[in-house]
Amino acid sequence: MKVNSTELQNNFGKYLMLAGQEEIIITRNGTEIAKLTAMKEATVTNIDGTNTVHENASDYGYGGKKATYEEFLQLQQKSEERYEYIDGEIYWLASPRTAHQIAITELLVIFYNTFQGKDCTPMVAPYDIELRRTPENINIVQPDLMIICDLEDHLNENDYYKGVPKLVVEVLSKSTQRKDLIKKLDLYMSCGVNEYWTVNPDNQEVTIYHFEDKNISHYTTFKKSETAQSFIFEELRAEIDRVFRL
């Protein structure tokens, strides 16, 4: 697929998702200038025969069978490691870096102060969120940070939340951005999340996506010296310099 640079800039989220399916050639004044392709991840086979995609690996080669949801649950019960399960693949969650933790801590404080005494509750990982594309397609993710506005209405008998957060936040790294910007963006958009924040410590930017009717309706990237503004919560703002204070 070919797309000009202006179209790419105006619809970056859309083409990030498409890059997971095909190569995107970027043009300027009719001349090919760049290429947008999917990043690669590595898959290992566990003792029980399931496959795990390791986020912190540099190569990609998913050649084994996909794990069933039951196999994922068995692995989760046997291991003290943290995992996510997205579209039939198991992802091991590596230990986060310092910049990641500082960004999440700062955002959690901002979110907590914003929603204190209100109906919506900030929650932070590790906290399993179950999202279903269809009744049979079950996904388990652990967003870095989320805003839940129907907590009491969707707690099951075991005190697990079974609803859909209004807003989720993921902090990117070079090894996880393909999953966060393509797989998770599509999952959140398809399953009823209203707003998605991607936080990039490397370039110190926050991009906010607003989802409507299972599509990206708006998105904005906020940079240093700017203040990120939520699309769905007028009172929710975050100074970029504070989020990336190191």
mmCIF file of all heavy atoms in Angstrom, residues 172-212:
data_model
loop_
_atom_site.group_PDB
_atom_site.id
_atom_site.type_symbol
_atom_site.label_atom_id
_atom_site.label_comp_id
_atom_site.label_asym_id
_atom_site.label_seq_id
_atom_site.Cartn_x
_atom_site.Cartn_y
_atom_site.Cartn_z
ATOM 1 N N LEU A 172 4.782 2.926 26.347
ATOM 2 C CA LEU A 172 5.456 2.226 25.269
ATOM 3 C C LEU A 172 6.932 1.993 25.572
ATOM 4 O O LEU A 172 7.546 2.695 26.357
ATOM 5 C CB LEU A 172 5.356 3.035 23.966
ATOM 6 C CG LEU A 172 3.979 3.526 23.538
ATOM 7 C CD1 LEU A 172 4.104 4.298 22.227
ATOM 8 C CD2 LEU A 172 3.008 2.372 23.403
ATOM 9 N N SER A 173 7.485 0.994 24.917
ATOM 10 C CA SER A 173 8.926 0.798 24.842
ATOM 11 C C SER A 173 9.221 0.326 23.434
ATOM 12 O O SER A 173 8.322 -0.045 22.684
ATOM 13 C CB SER A 173 9.401 -0.241 25.870
ATOM 14 O OG SER A 173 8.938 -1.527 25.518
ATOM 15 N N LYS A 174 10.497 0.332 23.061
ATOM 16 C CA LYS A 174 10.857 -0.098 21.704
ATOM 17 C C LYS A 174 10.407 -1.529 21.445
ATOM 18 O O LYS A 174 10.062 -1.897 20.327
ATOM 19 C CB LYS A 174 12.366 0.017 21.494
ATOM 20 C CG LYS A 174 12.873 1.454 21.374
ATOM 21 C CD LYS A 174 14.357 1.465 21.068
ATOM 22 C CE LYS A 174 14.841 2.899 20.816
ATOM 23 N NZ LYS A 174 14.730 3.743 21.997
ATOM 24 N N SER A 175 10.404 -2.354 22.464
ATOM 25 C CA SER A 175 10.082 -3.767 22.283
ATOM 26 C C SER A 175 8.589 -4.062 22.353
ATOM 27 O O SER A 175 8.153 -5.127 21.947
ATOM 28 C CB SER A 175 10.808 -4.605 23.335
ATOM 29 O OG SER A 175 10.462 -4.174 24.637
ATOM 30 N N THR A 176 7.784 -3.129 22.882
ATOM 31 C CA THR A 176 6.347 -3.405 23.039
ATOM 32 C C THR A 176 5.461 -2.528 22.174
ATOM 33 O O THR A 176 4.257 -2.729 22.145
ATOM 34 C CB THR A 176 5.909 -3.207 24.501
ATOM 35 O OG1 THR A 176 6.032 -1.815 24.852
ATOM 36 C CG2 THR A 176 6.763 -4.039 25.453
ATOM 37 N N GLN A 177 6.033 -1.542 21.464
ATOM 38 C CA GLN A 177 5.164 -0.570 20.804
ATOM 39 C C GLN A 177 4.334 -1.177 19.684
ATOM 40 O O GLN A 177 3.215 -0.719 19.424
ATOM 41 C CB GLN A 177 5.980 0.612 20.286
ATOM 42 C CG GLN A 177 7.061 0.289 19.294
ATOM 43 C CD GLN A 177 7.864 1.538 18.941
ATOM 44 O OE1 GLN A 177 7.474 2.657 19.265
ATOM 45 N NE2 GLN A 177 8.985 1.350 18.284
ATOM 46 N N ARG A 178 4.826 -2.238 19.030
ATOM 47 C CA ARG A 178 4.001 -2.857 17.990
ATOM 48 C C ARG A 178 2.716 -3.411 18.606
ATOM 49 O O ARG A 178 1.625 -3.220 18.079
ATOM 50 C CB ARG A 178 4.760 -3.971 17.271
ATOM 51 C CG ARG A 178 3.898 -4.691 16.224
ATOM 52 C CD ARG A 178 4.690 -5.784 15.509
ATOM 53 N NE ARG A 178 3.868 -6.456 14.509
ATOM 54 C CZ ARG A 178 3.108 -7.514 14.726
ATOM 55 N NH1 ARG A 178 3.063 -8.033 15.939
ATOM 56 N NH2 ARG A 178 2.395 -8.059 13.769
ATOM 57 N N LYS A 179 2.850 -4.111 19.736
ATOM 58 C CA LYS A 179 1.666 -4.671 20.391
ATOM 59 C C LYS A 179 0.754 -3.558 20.914
ATOM 60 O O LYS A 179 -0.466 -3.613 20.759
ATOM 61 C CB LYS A 179 2.072 -5.594 21.528
ATOM 62 C CG LYS A 179 0.901 -6.169 22.331
ATOM 63 C CD LYS A 179 1.324 -7.355 23.162
ATOM 64 C CE LYS A 179 2.226 -6.987 24.300
ATOM 65 N NZ LYS A 179 1.491 -6.271 25.391
ATOM 66 N N ASP A 180 1.347 -2.537 21.531
ATOM 67 C CA ASP A 180 0.542 -1.470 22.115
ATOM 68 C C ASP A 180 -0.129 -0.596 21.065
ATOM 69 O O ASP A 180 -1.273 -0.162 21.243
ATOM 70 C CB ASP A 180 1.415 -0.595 23.025
ATOM 71 C CG ASP A 180 1.878 -1.327 24.273
ATOM 72 O OD1 ASP A 180 1.205 -2.296 24.666
ATOM 73 O OD2 ASP A 180 2.910 -0.942 24.850
ATOM 74 N N LEU A 181 0.578 -0.320 19.957
ATOM 75 C CA LEU A 181 0.062 0.597 18.953
ATOM 76 C C LEU A 181 -0.803 -0.080 17.893
ATOM 77 O O LEU A 181 -1.541 0.595 17.175
ATOM 78 C CB LEU A 181 1.212 1.331 18.259
ATOM 79 C CG LEU A 181 1.975 2.338 19.132
ATOM 80 C CD1 LEU A 181 3.172 2.888 18.384
ATOM 81 C CD2 LEU A 181 1.057 3.470 19.578
ATOM 82 N N ILE A 182 -0.690 -1.402 17.779
ATOM 83 C CA ILE A 182 -1.487 -2.098 16.768
ATOM 84 C C ILE A 182 -2.458 -3.073 17.420
ATOM 85 O O ILE A 182 -3.673 -2.914 17.344
ATOM 86 C CB ILE A 182 -0.580 -2.824 15.756
ATOM 87 C CG1 ILE A 182 0.311 -1.812 15.027
ATOM 88 C CG2 ILE A 182 -1.425 -3.598 14.753
ATOM 89 C CD1 ILE A 182 1.320 -2.423 14.091
ATOM 90 N N LYS A 183 -1.925 -4.087 18.073
ATOM 91 C CA LYS A 183 -2.783 -5.125 18.633
ATOM 92 C C LYS A 183 -3.700 -4.583 19.722
ATOM 93 O O LYS A 183 -4.915 -4.817 19.720
ATOM 94 C CB LYS A 183 -1.923 -6.274 19.181
ATOM 95 C CG LYS A 183 -1.241 -7.123 18.118
ATOM 96 C CD LYS A 183 -0.427 -8.234 18.758
ATOM 97 C CE LYS A 183 0.236 -9.103 17.708
ATOM 98 N NZ LYS A 183 -0.737 -9.930 16.970
ATOM 99 N N LYS A 184 -3.122 -3.860 20.684
ATOM 100 C CA LYS A 184 -3.940 -3.364 21.783
ATOM 101 C C LYS A 184 -4.848 -2.218 21.343
ATOM 102 O O LYS A 184 -5.993 -2.117 21.804
ATOM 103 C CB LYS A 184 -3.058 -2.941 22.956
ATOM 104 C CG LYS A 184 -2.580 -4.113 23.809
ATOM 105 C CD LYS A 184 -1.967 -3.628 25.103
ATOM 106 C CE LYS A 184 -1.749 -4.773 26.059
ATOM 107 N NZ LYS A 184 -1.167 -4.318 27.343
ATOM 108 N N LEU A 185 -4.362 -1.352 20.484
ATOM 109 C CA LEU A 185 -5.214 -0.278 19.987
ATOM 110 C C LEU A 185 -6.453 -0.861 19.328
ATOM 111 O O LEU A 185 -7.585 -0.435 19.598
ATOM 112 C CB LEU A 185 -4.439 0.609 19.012
ATOM 113 C CG LEU A 185 -5.148 1.879 18.508
ATOM 114 C CD1 LEU A 185 -4.139 2.973 18.196
ATOM 115 C CD2 LEU A 185 -6.003 1.610 17.271
ATOM 116 N N ASP A 186 -6.254 -1.858 18.479
ATOM 117 C CA ASP A 186 -7.384 -2.484 17.806
ATOM 118 C C ASP A 186 -8.298 -3.200 18.796
ATOM 119 O O ASP A 186 -9.531 -3.136 18.687
ATOM 120 C CB ASP A 186 -6.879 -3.465 16.756
ATOM 121 C CG ASP A 186 -8.016 -4.146 16.003
ATOM 122 O OD1 ASP A 186 -8.774 -3.443 15.320
ATOM 123 O OD2 ASP A 186 -8.146 -5.380 16.119
ATOM 124 N N LEU A 187 -7.703 -3.892 19.777
ATOM 125 C CA LEU A 187 -8.499 -4.607 20.773
ATOM 126 C C LEU A 187 -9.351 -3.644 21.588
ATOM 127 O O LEU A 187 -10.560 -3.853 21.760
ATOM 128 C CB LEU A 187 -7.579 -5.412 21.694
ATOM 129 C CG LEU A 187 -8.283 -6.205 22.799
ATOM 130 C CD1 LEU A 187 -9.118 -7.332 22.220
ATOM 131 C CD2 LEU A 187 -7.253 -6.754 23.794
ATOM 132 N N TYR A 188 -8.731 -2.587 22.108
ATOM 133 C CA TYR A 188 -9.474 -1.624 22.916
ATOM 134 C C TYR A 188 -10.572 -0.955 22.094
ATOM 135 O O TYR A 188 -11.699 -0.776 22.559
ATOM 136 C CB TYR A 188 -8.524 -0.567 23.482
ATOM 137 C CG TYR A 188 -7.515 -1.102 24.473
ATOM 138 C CD1 TYR A 188 -6.232 -0.557 24.573
ATOM 139 C CD2 TYR A 188 -7.838 -2.149 25.323
ATOM 140 C CE1 TYR A 188 -5.315 -1.045 25.482
ATOM 141 C CE2 TYR A 188 -6.920 -2.642 26.238
ATOM 142 C CZ TYR A 188 -5.654 -2.085 26.313
ATOM 143 O OH TYR A 188 -4.740 -2.577 27.218
ATOM 144 N N MET A 189 -10.240 -0.579 20.869
ATOM 145 C CA MET A 189 -11.212 0.072 19.997
ATOM 146 C C MET A 189 -12.398 -0.849 19.695
ATOM 147 O O MET A 189 -13.549 -0.409 19.659
ATOM 148 C CB MET A 189 -10.518 0.491 18.698
ATOM 149 C CG MET A 189 -11.405 1.194 17.693
ATOM 150 S SD MET A 189 -10.451 1.799 16.274
ATOM 151 C CE MET A 189 -9.811 0.242 15.620
ATOM 152 N N SER A 190 -12.117 -2.140 19.503
ATOM 153 C CA SER A 190 -13.152 -3.099 19.117
ATOM 154 C C SER A 190 -14.033 -3.533 20.273
ATOM 155 O O SER A 190 -15.134 -4.044 20.051
ATOM 156 C CB SER A 190 -12.507 -4.344 18.490
ATOM 157 O OG SER A 190 -11.742 -4.007 17.352
ATOM 158 N N CYS A 191 -13.552 -3.349 21.503
ATOM 159 C CA CYS A 191 -14.259 -3.912 22.661
ATOM 160 C C CYS A 191 -14.926 -2.874 23.551
ATOM 161 O O CYS A 191 -15.373 -3.208 24.649
ATOM 162 C CB CYS A 191 -13.299 -4.767 23.483
ATOM 163 S SG CYS A 191 -12.726 -6.246 22.609
ATOM 164 N N GLY A 192 -14.990 -1.628 23.101
ATOM 165 C CA GLY A 192 -15.797 -0.659 23.827
ATOM 166 C C GLY A 192 -15.065 0.338 24.696
ATOM 167 O O GLY A 192 -15.712 1.161 25.360
ATOM 168 N N VAL A 193 -13.727 0.303 24.723
ATOM 169 C CA VAL A 193 -12.977 1.353 25.419
ATOM 170 C C VAL A 193 -13.215 2.665 24.677
ATOM 171 O O VAL A 193 -13.243 2.702 23.444
ATOM 172 C CB VAL A 193 -11.476 1.014 25.465
ATOM 173 C CG1 VAL A 193 -10.673 2.185 26.014
ATOM 174 C CG2 VAL A 193 -11.238 -0.239 26.305
ATOM 175 N N ASN A 194 -13.397 3.764 25.413
ATOM 176 C CA ASN A 194 -13.703 5.051 24.775
ATOM 177 C C ASN A 194 -12.461 5.888 24.476
ATOM 178 O O ASN A 194 -12.472 6.700 23.538
ATOM 179 C CB ASN A 194 -14.642 5.880 25.664
ATOM 180 C CG ASN A 194 -15.992 5.225 25.849
ATOM 181 O OD1 ASN A 194 -16.469 5.077 26.969
ATOM 182 N ND2 ASN A 194 -16.623 4.815 24.768
ATOM 183 N N GLU A 195 -11.412 5.708 25.284
ATOM 184 C CA GLU A 195 -10.226 6.544 25.091
ATOM 185 C C GLU A 195 -8.968 5.756 25.441
ATOM 186 O O GLU A 195 -8.953 4.999 26.408
ATOM 187 C CB GLU A 195 -10.324 7.803 25.957
ATOM 188 C CG GLU A 195 -9.230 8.829 25.694
ATOM 189 C CD GLU A 195 -9.565 10.186 26.305
ATOM 190 O OE1 GLU A 195 -10.528 10.826 25.827
ATOM 191 O OE2 GLU A 195 -8.889 10.596 27.269
ATOM 192 N N TYR A 196 -7.923 5.953 24.633
ATOM 193 C CA TYR A 196 -6.673 5.210 24.791
ATOM 194 C C TYR A 196 -5.507 6.187 24.765
ATOM 195 O O TYR A 196 -5.319 6.920 23.809
ATOM 196 C CB TYR A 196 -6.557 4.193 23.657
ATOM 197 C CG TYR A 196 -5.318 3.327 23.670
ATOM 198 C CD1 TYR A 196 -4.738 2.906 24.852
ATOM 199 C CD2 TYR A 196 -4.735 2.892 22.473
ATOM 200 C CE1 TYR A 196 -3.613 2.089 24.859
ATOM 201 C CE2 TYR A 196 -3.616 2.076 22.466
ATOM 202 C CZ TYR A 196 -3.063 1.678 23.667
ATOM 203 O OH TYR A 196 -1.950 0.879 23.675
ATOM 204 N N TRP A 197 -4.701 6.181 25.851
ATOM 205 C CA TRP A 197 -3.496 7.012 25.935
ATOM 206 C C TRP A 197 -2.275 6.136 25.712
ATOM 207 O O TRP A 197 -2.096 5.126 26.406
ATOM 208 C CB TRP A 197 -3.379 7.654 27.310
ATOM 209 C CG TRP A 197 -4.406 8.684 27.656
ATOM 210 C CD1 TRP A 197 -5.719 8.712 27.272
ATOM 211 C CD2 TRP A 197 -4.212 9.828 28.489
ATOM 212 N NE1 TRP A 197 -6.356 9.792 27.815
ATOM 213 C CE2 TRP A 197 -5.470 10.504 28.567
ATOM 214 C CE3 TRP A 197 -3.136 10.346 29.192
ATOM 215 C CZ2 TRP A 197 -5.638 11.667 29.311
ATOM 216 C CZ3 TRP A 197 -3.299 11.507 29.932
ATOM 217 C CH2 TRP A 197 -4.538 12.157 29.994
ATOM 218 N N THR A 198 -1.425 6.499 24.759
ATOM 219 C CA THR A 198 -0.126 5.844 24.611
ATOM 220 C C THR A 198 0.943 6.833 25.058
ATOM 221 O O THR A 198 0.993 7.970 24.574
ATOM 222 C CB THR A 198 0.135 5.386 23.169
ATOM 223 O OG1 THR A 198 0.107 6.499 22.279
ATOM 224 C CG2 THR A 198 -0.914 4.359 22.745
ATOM 225 N N VAL A 199 1.783 6.395 25.981
ATOM 226 C CA VAL A 199 2.768 7.257 26.628
ATOM 227 C C VAL A 199 4.159 6.788 26.200
ATOM 228 O O VAL A 199 4.534 5.646 26.457
ATOM 229 C CB VAL A 199 2.616 7.187 28.160
ATOM 230 C CG1 VAL A 199 3.635 8.070 28.853
ATOM 231 C CG2 VAL A 199 1.193 7.573 28.569
ATOM 232 N N ASN A 200 4.901 7.655 25.543
ATOM 233 C CA ASN A 200 6.191 7.279 24.974
ATOM 234 C C ASN A 200 7.335 8.003 25.690
ATOM 235 O O ASN A 200 7.617 9.174 25.403
ATOM 236 C CB ASN A 200 6.224 7.607 23.479
ATOM 237 C CG ASN A 200 7.416 6.982 22.777
ATOM 238 O OD1 ASN A 200 8.447 6.737 23.389
ATOM 239 N ND2 ASN A 200 7.284 6.720 21.492
ATOM 240 N N PRO A 201 8.027 7.329 26.631
ATOM 241 C CA PRO A 201 9.125 7.982 27.342
ATOM 242 C C PRO A 201 10.311 8.324 26.455
ATOM 243 O O PRO A 201 11.086 9.234 26.775
ATOM 244 C CB PRO A 201 9.523 6.932 28.406
ATOM 245 C CG PRO A 201 8.342 6.034 28.532
ATOM 246 C CD PRO A 201 7.741 5.991 27.163
ATOM 247 N N ASP A 202 10.488 7.601 25.342
ATOM 248 C CA ASP A 202 11.649 7.840 24.482
ATOM 249 C C ASP A 202 11.584 9.194 23.801
ATOM 250 O O ASP A 202 12.579 9.921 23.747
ATOM 251 C CB ASP A 202 11.778 6.722 23.446
ATOM 252 C CG ASP A 202 12.197 5.401 24.076
ATOM 253 O OD1 ASP A 202 12.907 5.432 25.098
ATOM 254 O OD2 ASP A 202 11.812 4.344 23.566
ATOM 255 N N ASN A 203 10.419 9.561 23.250
ATOM 256 C CA ASN A 203 10.318 10.881 22.625
ATOM 257 C C ASN A 203 9.507 11.859 23.461
ATOM 258 O O ASN A 203 9.228 12.980 23.025
ATOM 259 C CB ASN A 203 9.728 10.786 21.214
ATOM 260 C CG ASN A 203 8.336 10.174 21.199
ATOM 261 O OD1 ASN A 203 7.666 10.102 22.236
ATOM 262 N ND2 ASN A 203 7.884 9.720 20.043
ATOM 263 N N GLN A 204 9.121 11.419 24.672
ATOM 264 C CA GLN A 204 8.407 12.248 25.639
ATOM 265 C C GLN A 204 7.137 12.864 25.021
ATOM 266 O O GLN A 204 6.923 14.069 25.047
ATOM 267 C CB GLN A 204 9.332 13.322 26.215
ATOM 268 C CG GLN A 204 10.524 12.721 26.956
ATOM 269 C CD GLN A 204 11.289 13.713 27.795
ATOM 270 O OE1 GLN A 204 11.233 14.913 27.568
ATOM 271 N NE2 GLN A 204 12.013 13.217 28.782
ATOM 272 N N GLU A 205 6.309 11.974 24.510
ATOM 273 C CA GLU A 205 5.038 12.364 23.918
ATOM 274 C C GLU A 205 3.912 11.482 24.449
ATOM 275 O O GLU A 205 4.134 10.319 24.787
ATOM 276 C CB GLU A 205 5.078 12.254 22.387
ATOM 277 C CG GLU A 205 6.026 13.231 21.710
ATOM 278 C CD GLU A 205 6.039 13.083 20.202
ATOM 279 O OE1 GLU A 205 5.401 12.139 19.682
ATOM 280 O OE2 GLU A 205 6.698 13.909 19.542
ATOM 281 N N VAL A 206 2.721 12.044 24.482
ATOM 282 C CA VAL A 206 1.513 11.301 24.835
ATOM 283 C C VAL A 206 0.512 11.482 23.691
ATOM 284 O O VAL A 206 0.208 12.614 23.303
ATOM 285 C CB VAL A 206 0.888 11.810 26.151
ATOM 286 C CG1 VAL A 206 -0.458 11.135 26.397
ATOM 287 C CG2 VAL A 206 1.830 11.560 27.324
ATOM 288 N N THR A 207 0.048 10.365 23.144
ATOM 289 C CA THR A 207 -0.979 10.420 22.104
ATOM 290 C C THR A 207 -2.283 9.881 22.678
ATOM 291 O O THR A 207 -2.302 8.818 23.308
ATOM 292 C CB THR A 207 -0.578 9.589 20.874
ATOM 293 O OG1 THR A 207 0.628 10.131 20.313
ATOM 294 C CG2 THR A 207 -1.672 9.627 19.808
ATOM 295 N N ILE A 208 -3.359 10.619 22.476
ATOM 296 C CA ILE A 208 -4.666 10.236 22.994
ATOM 297 C C ILE A 208 -5.591 9.943 21.817
ATOM 298 O O ILE A 208 -5.775 10.784 20.931
ATOM 299 C CB ILE A 208 -5.269 11.333 23.883
ATOM 300 C CG1 ILE A 208 -4.325 11.637 25.059
ATOM 301 C CG2 ILE A 208 -6.646 10.920 24.398
ATOM 302 C CD1 ILE A 208 -4.830 12.742 25.977
ATOM 303 N N TYR A 209 -6.166 8.725 21.819
ATOM 304 C CA TYR A 209 -7.105 8.295 20.793
ATOM 305 C C TYR A 209 -8.519 8.281 21.379
ATOM 306 O O TYR A 209 -8.738 7.737 22.463
ATOM 307 C CB TYR A 209 -6.771 6.886 20.297
ATOM 308 C CG TYR A 209 -5.405 6.746 19.665
ATOM 309 C CD1 TYR A 209 -4.293 6.442 20.441
ATOM 310 C CD2 TYR A 209 -5.229 6.904 18.291
ATOM 311 C CE1 TYR A 209 -3.039 6.308 19.871
ATOM 312 C CE2 TYR A 209 -3.980 6.761 17.710
ATOM 313 C CZ TYR A 209 -2.884 6.467 18.507
ATOM 314 O OH TYR A 209 -1.638 6.328 17.934
ATOM 315 N N HIS A 210 -9.460 8.842 20.636
ATOM 316 C CA HIS A 210 -10.861 8.797 21.032
ATOM 317 C C HIS A 210 -11.575 7.836 20.096
ATOM 318 O O HIS A 210 -11.523 7.987 18.867
ATOM 319 C CB HIS A 210 -11.485 10.195 20.933
ATOM 320 C CG HIS A 210 -12.912 10.244 21.344
ATOM 321 N ND1 HIS A 210 -13.819 11.161 20.846
ATOM 322 C CD2 HIS A 210 -13.626 9.473 22.209
ATOM 323 C CE1 HIS A 210 -15.002 10.970 21.385
ATOM 324 N NE2 HIS A 210 -14.909 9.938 22.215
ATOM 325 N N PHE A 211 -12.238 6.824 20.662
ATOM 326 C CA PHE A 211 -12.932 5.811 19.868
ATOM 327 C C PHE A 211 -14.441 6.053 19.892
ATOM 328 O O PHE A 211 -15.018 6.274 20.953
ATOM 329 C CB PHE A 211 -12.659 4.401 20.414
ATOM 330 C CG PHE A 211 -11.201 4.022 20.442
ATOM 331 C CD1 PHE A 211 -10.688 3.288 21.513
ATOM 332 C CD2 PHE A 211 -10.352 4.369 19.412
ATOM 333 C CE1 PHE A 211 -9.350 2.921 21.552
ATOM 334 C CE2 PHE A 211 -9.010 4.005 19.437
ATOM 335 C CZ PHE A 211 -8.508 3.282 20.515
ATOM 336 N N GLU A 212 -15.047 5.977 18.720
ATOM 337 C CA GLU A 212 -16.498 6.025 18.594
ATOM 338 C C GLU A 212 -16.917 5.032 17.523
ATOM 339 O O GLU A 212 -16.303 4.983 16.446
ATOM 340 C CB GLU A 212 -16.973 7.433 18.197
ATOM 341 C CG GLU A 212 -16.822 8.465 19.301
ATOM 342 C CD GLU A 212 -17.363 9.822 18.879
ATOM 343 O OE1 GLU A 212 -17.090 10.258 17.747
ATOM 344 O OE2 GLU A 212 -18.067 10.444 19.698
#
